Coordinates of all heavy atoms in Angstrom, one line a residue:
G84 N 92.1 122.5 80.5 CA 93.2 123.4 80.4 C 94.4 123.0 81.3 O 95.6 123.0 80.9
L85 N 94.0 122.6 82.6 CA 95.0 122.3 83.5 C 95.7 121.0 83.1 O 97.0 120.8 83.2 CB 94.5 122.1 84.9 CG 94.1 123.4 85.6 CD1 93.4 123.1 87.0 CD2 95.3 124.3 85.8
I86 N 95.0 120.1 82.5 CA 95.6 118.8 82.0 C 96.5 119.0 80.8 O 97.6 118.5 80.8 CB 94.4 117.8 81.5 CG1 93.6 117.3 82.8 CG2 94.9 116.6 80.8 CD1 92.3 116.7 82.5
Q87 N 96.2 120.0 80.0 CA 97.0 120.4 78.8 C 98.2 121.0 79.4 O 99.4 120.8 78.8 CB 96.2 121.2 77.9 CG 95.1 120.4 77.1 CD 94.1 121.3 76.5 OE1 93.8 122.4 76.9 NE2 93.6 120.9 75.3
F88 N 98.1 121.9 80.4 CA 99.2 122.6 81.0 C 100.3 121.5 81.5 O 101.4 121.6 81.2 CB 98.7 123.5 82.0 CG 99.7 124.3 82.7 CD1 100.2 125.5 82.0 CD2 100.3 124.1 84.0 CE1 101.1 126.3 82.6 CE2 101.2 124.9 84.5 CZ 101.7 126.0 83.8
A89 N 99.8 120.6 82.2 CA 100.7 119.5 82.8 C 101.3 118.7 81.6 O 102.5 118.4 81.7 CB 99.9 118.6 83.7
G90 N 100.5 118.4 80.6 CA 101.0 117.7 79.4 C 102.1 118.4 78.8 O 103.1 117.8 78.3
A91 N 102.0 119.8 78.7 CA 103.2 120.6 78.1 C 104.4 120.4 78.9 O 105.5 120.2 78.4 CB 102.8 122.1 78.0
F92 N 104.3 120.3 80.2 CA 105.5 120.1 81.0 C 106.0 118.6 81.0 O 107.2 118.4 81.2 CB 105.2 120.4 82.5 CG 105.3 122.0 82.7 CD1 104.2 122.8 82.7 CD2 106.6 122.5 83.0 CE1 104.3 124.2 82.9 CE2 106.7 123.8 83.1 CZ 105.6 124.7 83.0
V93 N 105.2 117.7 80.6 CA 105.6 116.3 80.3 C 106.6 116.4 79.2 O 107.7 115.8 79.2 CB 104.4 115.3 80.1 CG1 105.0 114.0 79.5 CG2 103.6 115.1 81.3
H94 N 106.2 117.1 78.1 CA 107.0 117.2 76.9 C 108.4 117.9 77.2 O 109.4 117.5 76.9 CB 106.3 118.0 75.8 CG 105.3 117.2 75.1 ND1 105.5 116.1 74.4 CD2 103.9 117.4 75.0 CE1 104.4 115.7 73.9 NE2 103.4 116.4 74.3
L95 N 108.3 119.0 78.0 CA 109.5 119.8 78.4 C 110.4 118.9 79.2 O 111.7 118.9 79.0 CB 109.2 121.1 79.1 CG 108.4 122.1 78.3 CD1 108.1 123.3 79.2 CD2 109.1 122.5 77.0
Q96 N 109.9 118.2 80.2 CA 110.7 117.4 81.0 C 111.4 116.2 80.3 O 112.5 116.0 80.4 CB 109.8 116.8 82.1 CG 110.5 116.0 83.2 CD 109.5 115.5 84.3 OE1 108.5 114.8 83.9 NE2 109.8 115.8 85.5
K97 N 110.7 115.6 79.4 CA 111.2 114.5 78.6 C 112.3 115.0 77.6 O 113.3 114.4 77.4 CB 110.1 113.7 77.8 CG 109.3 112.8 78.7 CD 108.3 112.1 77.9 CE 107.4 111.2 78.8 NZ 107.9 109.9 78.9
Q98 N 112.0 116.2 77.0 CA 113.0 116.8 76.1 C 114.3 117.1 76.9 O 115.4 116.9 76.4 CB 112.4 118.0 75.4 CG 113.2 118.5 74.2 CD 114.4 119.3 74.6 OE1 114.5 119.9 75.7 NE2 115.4 119.5 73.6
A99 N 114.1 117.8 78.0 CA 115.3 118.1 78.9 C 116.1 116.9 79.3 O 117.3 117.0 79.4 CB 114.8 118.9 80.1
T100 N 115.4 115.8 79.5 CA 116.1 114.6 80.0 C 116.9 114.0 78.9 O 118.0 113.4 79.2 CB 115.1 113.6 80.6 OG1 114.3 114.3 81.6 CG2 115.7 112.4 81.2
R101 N 116.3 114.0 77.7 CA 117.0 113.3 76.6 C 116.9 114.1 75.3 O 116.2 113.8 74.4 CB 116.3 111.9 76.4 CG 116.5 111.0 77.6 CD 115.8 109.7 77.5 NE 116.5 108.9 76.4 CZ 116.0 107.8 75.9 NH1 114.8 107.3 76.3 NH2 116.7 107.1 75.0
P102 N 117.6 115.3 75.3 CA 117.5 116.1 74.1 C 118.0 115.6 72.8 O 117.5 116.0 71.7 CB 118.3 117.4 74.5 CG 119.2 116.9 75.6 CD 118.5 115.8 76.3
E103 N 118.9 114.7 72.8 CA 119.4 114.0 71.5 C 118.6 112.9 71.1 O 118.8 112.3 70.0 CB 120.8 113.6 71.8 CG 121.8 114.7 72.3 CD 121.7 115.9 71.3 OE1 121.7 115.8 70.1 OE2 121.7 117.1 71.8
H104 N 117.6 112.4 71.9 CA 116.8 111.3 71.5 C 115.9 111.6 70.4 O 115.4 112.7 70.3 CB 115.9 110.9 72.7 CG 115.1 109.6 72.5 ND1 113.9 109.6 72.0 CD2 115.4 108.3 72.8 CE1 113.4 108.4 71.9 NE2 114.3 107.6 72.5
P105 N 115.7 110.7 69.4 CA 115.0 111.1 68.1 C 113.5 111.6 68.4 O 113.0 112.4 67.8 CB 115.0 109.8 67.4 CG 116.0 108.9 67.9 CD 116.3 109.4 69.3
K106 N 112.9 111.0 69.5 CA 111.5 111.4 69.8 C 111.5 112.4 70.8 O 110.8 113.5 70.6 CB 110.8 110.1 70.2 CG 109.3 110.4 70.6 CD 108.6 109.2 71.0 CE 107.2 109.5 71.4 NZ 106.4 108.3 71.9
H107 N 112.2 112.2 71.9 CA 112.1 113.3 73.0 C 112.7 114.6 72.6 O 112.3 115.6 73.1 CB 112.8 112.7 74.3 CG 112.1 111.5 74.8 ND1 110.7 111.4 74.9 CD2 112.6 110.3 75.3 CE1 110.4 110.2 75.4 NE2 111.5 109.6 75.7
G108 N 113.7 114.5 71.7 CA 114.4 115.8 71.3 C 113.4 116.7 70.5 O 113.7 117.9 70.3
R109 N 112.3 116.2 70.0 CA 111.4 117.0 69.2 C 110.1 117.3 70.0 O 109.1 117.5 69.3 CB 111.1 116.2 67.9 CG 112.2 116.0 67.0 CD 111.9 115.2 65.8 NE 111.3 113.9 66.3 CZ 111.0 112.9 65.5 NH1 111.0 113.0 64.2 NH2 110.5 111.8 66.0
R110 N 110.2 117.5 71.3 CA 109.0 117.7 72.0 C 108.7 119.2 72.3 O 107.6 119.5 72.9 CB 109.1 117.0 73.3 CG 108.9 115.4 73.2 CD 109.0 114.7 74.5 NE 108.9 113.3 74.4 CZ 107.6 112.7 74.6 NH1 106.6 113.4 75.0 NH2 107.6 111.4 74.5
L111 N 109.4 120.1 71.9 CA 109.3 121.5 72.1 C 108.0 122.0 71.3 O 107.2 122.8 71.9 CB 110.5 122.4 71.8 CG 111.7 122.1 72.7 CD1 112.9 123.0 72.3 CD2 111.3 122.2 74.2
R112 N 107.8 121.7 70.1 CA 106.6 122.1 69.4 C 105.3 121.6 70.0 O 104.4 122.3 70.2 CB 106.7 121.6 67.9 CG 107.7 122.5 67.2 CD 107.7 122.2 65.6 NE 108.8 122.9 65.0 CZ 108.9 124.1 64.6 NH1 107.8 124.9 64.8 NH2 109.9 124.6 64.0
P113 N 105.3 120.3 70.4 CA 104.1 119.8 71.1 C 103.8 120.5 72.4 O 102.6 120.8 72.7 CB 104.3 118.3 71.2 CG 105.3 117.9 70.2 CD 106.2 119.1 70.0
A114 N 104.9 120.9 73.0 CA 104.7 121.6 74.3 C 104.1 122.9 74.1 O 103.2 123.3 74.8 CB 106.1 121.7 75.1
V115 N 104.6 123.6 73.1 CA 104.0 125.0 72.8 C 102.6 124.8 72.4 O 101.7 125.6 72.9 CB 104.8 125.6 71.6 CG1 104.0 126.8 71.0 CG2 106.2 126.1 72.1
R116 N 102.2 123.8 71.6 CA 100.8 123.6 71.2 C 99.9 123.3 72.4 O 98.8 123.9 72.6 CB 100.8 122.5 70.2 CG 99.3 122.3 69.7 CD 98.9 123.4 68.8 NE 97.5 123.2 68.4 CZ 96.6 124.1 68.5 NH1 96.8 125.3 68.9 NH2 95.4 123.8 68.0
L117 N 100.4 122.6 73.4 CA 99.6 122.3 74.6 C 99.5 123.5 75.5 O 98.5 123.8 76.0 CB 100.2 121.1 75.3 CG 99.9 119.8 74.8 CD1 100.6 118.7 75.6 CD2 98.4 119.5 74.9
F118 N 100.5 124.3 75.5 CA 100.5 125.6 76.3 C 99.4 126.4 75.7 O 98.6 127.1 76.4 CB 101.7 126.3 76.3 CG 102.7 125.8 77.4 CD1 104.1 125.5 77.1 CD2 102.4 125.6 78.7 CE1 104.9 125.0 78.0 CE2 103.3 125.2 79.7 CZ 104.6 124.9 79.3
E119 N 99.4 126.5 74.3 CA 98.4 127.4 73.6 C 97.0 126.8 73.9 O 96.0 127.6 74.1 CB 98.7 127.4 72.2 CG 100.0 128.2 71.9 CD 100.4 128.1 70.4 OE1 100.0 127.2 69.7 OE2 101.3 128.9 70.1
L120 N 96.8 125.6 73.7 CA 95.4 124.9 74.1 C 95.1 125.2 75.5 O 93.9 125.5 75.8 CB 95.5 123.5 73.7 CG 95.6 123.1 72.3 CD1 95.9 121.6 72.1 CD2 94.3 123.5 71.5
A121 N 95.9 125.1 76.4 CA 95.6 125.3 77.8 C 95.2 126.7 78.1 O 94.2 126.9 78.8 CB 96.9 124.9 78.7
T122 N 95.9 127.6 77.5 CA 95.6 129.0 77.7 C 94.2 129.3 77.2 O 93.4 130.0 77.8 CB 96.7 129.9 77.0 OG1 97.9 129.7 77.6 CG2 96.3 131.3 77.0
A123 N 93.9 128.8 76.0 CA 92.6 129.0 75.5 C 91.5 128.5 76.3 O 90.4 129.1 76.5 CB 92.5 128.3 74.0
N124 N 91.8 127.3 76.9 CA 90.7 126.7 77.8 C 90.6 127.4 79.1 O 89.5 127.4 79.8 CB 91.0 125.3 78.0 CG 90.5 124.4 76.9 OD1 89.3 124.5 76.5 ND2 91.3 123.6 76.2
L125 N 91.7 128.0 79.6 CA 91.7 128.7 80.9 C 91.3 130.1 80.8 O 90.9 130.7 81.9 CB 93.1 128.6 81.5 CG 93.6 127.1 81.9 CD1 95.1 127.1 82.2 CD2 92.8 126.6 83.0
Q126 N 91.3 130.8 79.7 CA 91.0 132.2 79.6 C 89.7 132.5 80.2 O 89.6 133.5 81.0 CB 91.0 132.6 78.1 CG 92.3 132.7 77.5 CD 93.1 134.0 77.9 OE1 92.5 134.9 78.5 NE2 94.3 134.0 77.5
P127 N 88.6 131.8 80.0 CA 87.3 132.1 80.6 C 87.2 132.1 82.1 O 86.3 132.6 82.7 CB 86.3 131.1 80.0 CG 87.0 130.5 78.8 CD 88.5 130.6 79.1
F128 N 88.2 131.6 82.8 CA 88.2 131.4 84.2 C 89.1 132.4 84.9 O 89.4 132.3 86.1 CB 88.6 130.0 84.5 CG 87.7 128.9 84.0 CD1 88.0 128.3 82.8 CD2 86.6 128.7 84.7 CE1 87.1 127.4 82.3 CE2 85.7 127.7 84.1 CZ 85.9 127.1 82.9
R129 N 89.6 133.4 84.1 CA 90.4 134.5 84.7 C 89.6 135.4 85.5 O 88.4 135.5 85.3 CB 91.1 135.3 83.5 CG 92.1 134.5 82.7 CD 92.6 135.3 81.6 NE 93.8 136.0 82.1 CZ 94.6 136.7 81.3 NH1 94.4 136.7 80.0 NH2 95.6 137.3 81.8
P130 N 90.1 136.0 86.5 CA 91.5 136.0 86.9 C 91.9 134.8 88.0 O 92.9 134.4 88.1 CB 91.7 137.3 87.6 CG 90.3 137.7 88.2 CD 89.3 137.0 87.2
N131 N 90.8 134.4 88.7 CA 90.9 133.3 89.7 C 89.8 132.3 89.5 O 88.7 132.7 89.3 CB 90.9 133.9 91.1 CG 92.1 134.8 91.4 OD1 93.2 134.4 91.3 ND2 91.8 136.1 91.5
H132 N 90.1 131.1 89.8 CA 89.0 130.0 89.8 C 89.5 128.9 90.7 O 90.6 128.4 90.6 CB 88.7 129.6 88.4 CG 87.6 128.7 88.3 ND1 86.3 129.2 88.5 CD2 87.5 127.4 88.0 CE1 85.5 128.2 88.3 NE2 86.2 127.0 88.0
L133 N 88.5 128.4 91.5 CA 88.8 127.3 92.4 C 90.2 127.4 93.2 O 91.0 126.5 93.2 CB 88.8 126.0 91.6 CG 87.4 125.5 91.1 CD1 87.6 124.2 90.3 CD2 86.4 125.4 92.2
H134 N 90.3 128.6 93.7 CA 91.5 128.9 94.6 C 92.8 129.0 93.7 O 93.9 129.0 94.3 CB 91.7 127.9 95.7 CG 90.5 127.9 96.6 ND1 90.4 128.6 97.7 CD2 89.4 127.0 96.6 CE1 89.3 128.4 98.3 NE2 88.6 127.4 97.6
L135 N 92.8 129.1 92.4 CA 93.9 129.2 91.6 C 94.0 130.5 90.9 O 93.0 131.0 90.4 CB 93.9 128.1 90.5 CG 95.1 128.0 89.5 CD1 96.4 127.8 90.2 CD2 94.8 127.1 88.4
D136 N 95.2 131.1 90.9 CA 95.4 132.4 90.2 C 95.6 132.0 88.7 O 96.7 131.7 88.3 CB 96.7 133.1 90.8 CG 96.9 134.4 90.1 OD1 96.5 134.6 89.0 OD2 97.6 135.3 90.9
V137 N 94.6 132.0 88.0 CA 94.6 131.6 86.6 C 95.5 132.6 85.8 O 96.2 132.2 84.9 CB 93.2 131.5 86.0 CG1 93.1 131.1 84.6 CG2 92.3 130.5 86.8
D138 N 95.4 133.9 86.1 CA 96.3 134.9 85.3 C 97.7 134.5 85.5 O 98.5 134.5 84.5 CB 96.1 136.2 85.9 CG 94.8 136.9 85.4 OD1 94.2 136.4 84.4 OD2 94.3 137.9 86.0
Q139 N 98.1 134.1 86.7 CA 99.5 133.7 86.9 C 99.9 132.5 86.1 O 101.0 132.3 85.6 CB 99.7 133.5 88.4 CG 101.2 133.2 88.8 CD 101.3 133.1 90.3 OE1 100.5 132.6 91.0 NE2 102.5 133.4 90.8
L140 N 99.0 131.5 86.1 CA 99.3 130.2 85.3 C 99.4 130.6 83.8 O 100.3 130.1 83.2 CB 98.1 129.3 85.6 CG 98.3 127.9 85.0 CD1 99.0 127.0 86.2 CD2 97.0 127.3 84.6
I141 N 98.5 131.4 83.3 CA 98.6 131.8 81.9 C 99.9 132.5 81.6 O 100.5 132.3 80.6 CB 97.3 132.6 81.5 CG1 96.1 131.6 81.4 CG2 97.5 133.3 80.2 CD1 94.8 132.3 81.2
A142 N 100.3 133.4 82.5 CA 101.5 134.1 82.3 C 102.7 133.2 82.3 O 103.7 133.3 81.5 CB 101.7 135.2 83.4
L143 N 102.7 132.1 83.1 CA 103.7 131.1 83.1 C 103.8 130.4 81.8 O 104.9 130.2 81.2 CB 103.5 130.1 84.3 CG 104.5 129.0 84.4 CD1 105.9 129.5 84.6 CD2 104.1 128.1 85.5
A144 N 102.6 130.1 81.3 CA 102.6 129.4 80.0 C 103.1 130.3 78.8 O 103.9 129.8 78.0 CB 101.1 128.9 79.7
D145 N 102.7 131.5 78.9 CA 103.1 132.5 77.9 C 104.6 132.7 78.0 O 105.2 132.8 76.8 CB 102.4 133.9 78.1 CG 101.0 133.9 77.7 OD1 100.5 132.9 77.1 OD2 100.2 134.8 78.1
R146 N 105.2 132.8 79.1 CA 106.7 132.9 79.2 C 107.5 131.7 78.6 O 108.4 131.9 77.9 CB 107.2 133.1 80.7 CG 106.8 134.4 81.2 CD 107.5 134.6 82.6 NE 107.3 133.8 83.6 CZ 106.2 133.8 84.4 NH1 105.3 134.8 84.3 NH2 106.0 132.9 85.4
H147 N 106.9 130.5 78.9 CA 107.5 129.2 78.3 C 107.4 129.3 76.8 O 108.3 129.0 76.1 CB 106.9 128.1 78.9 CG 107.5 127.7 80.3 ND1 107.2 128.4 81.4 CD2 108.4 126.7 80.6 CE1 107.9 128.0 82.4 NE2 108.7 126.9 82.0
V148 N 106.2 129.6 76.3 CA 106.0 129.7 74.8 C 106.9 130.6 74.2 O 107.6 130.4 73.2 CB 104.5 130.0 74.5 CG1 104.4 130.3 73.0 CG2 103.6 128.8 74.8
A149 N 107.0 131.9 74.8 CA 107.9 132.9 74.2 C 109.4 132.5 74.2 O 110.1 132.7 73.2 CB 107.8 134.2 75.1
A150 N 109.8 131.8 75.3 CA 111.2 131.4 75.3 C 111.5 130.3 74.2 O 112.6 130.4 73.6 CB 111.5 130.8 76.7
I151 N 110.5 129.4 74.0 CA 110.8 128.4 73.0 C 110.7 129.0 71.6 O 111.5 128.7 70.8 CB 109.7 127.3 73.2 CG1 109.9 126.5 74.6 CG2 109.8 126.2 72.1 CD1 108.7 125.6 75.0
V152 N 109.7 129.7 71.4 CA 109.5 130.3 70.0 C 110.6 131.2 69.6 O 111.1 131.1 68.5 CB 108.1 131.0 69.9 CG1 107.9 131.6 68.5 CG2 107.0 129.9 70.0
T153 N 111.0 132.1 70.5 CA 112.1 133.1 70.1 C 113.4 132.4 70.0 O 114.2 132.9 69.3 CB 112.2 134.2 71.3 OG1 112.5 133.6 72.5 CG2 111.0 135.1 71.3
S154 N 113.6 131.2 70.5 CA 114.8 130.4 70.2 C 114.7 129.5 69.0 O 115.5 128.7 68.7 CB 115.1 129.5 71.4 OG 114.3 128.4 71.4
D155 N 113.6 129.7 68.2 CA 113.2 128.9 67.0 C 113.2 127.4 67.4 O 113.8 126.5 66.7 CB 114.3 129.2 65.9 CG 113.8 128.7 64.6 OD1 112.6 128.6 64.4 OD2 114.6 128.4 63.7
Y156 N 112.6 127.1 68.6 CA 112.3 125.8 69.0 C 113.6 125.0 69.3 O 113.7 123.8 69.2 CB 111.5 125.0 68.0 CG 110.1 125.6 67.9 CD1 109.9 126.7 67.0 CD2 109.0 125.2 68.7 CE1 108.6 127.3 66.9 CE2 107.8 125.8 68.7 CZ 107.6 126.9 67.7 OH 106.3 127.4 67.6

Side-chain angles (χ1 to χ4, degrees):
L85 289 176
I86 291 164
Q87 291 164 329
F88 185 78
F92 278 96
V93 169
H94 285 297
L95 295 181
Q96 186 178 52
K97 287 183 182 263
Q98 193 279 338
T100 305
R101 300 178 67 191
E103 303 305 320
H104 187 273
K106 181 178 179 184
H107 296 318
R109 296 179 299 186
R110 289 182 176 261
L111 295 180
R112 285 185 191 278
V115 166
R116 183 68 182 132
L117 281 174
F118 279 130
E119 291 169 344
L120 291 169
T122 297
N124 279 307
L125 294 168
Q126 286 285 348
F128 299 95
R129 295 177 87 169
N131 297 293
H132 188 68
L133 291 179
H134 301 272
L135 178 66
D136 185 335
V137 177
D138 282 341
Q139 186 178 29
L140 190 91
I141 289 173
L143 177 61
D145 290 346
R146 284 193 304 275
H147 279 73
V148 167
I151 295 167
V152 172
T153 58
S154 76
D155 197 26
Y156 297 87

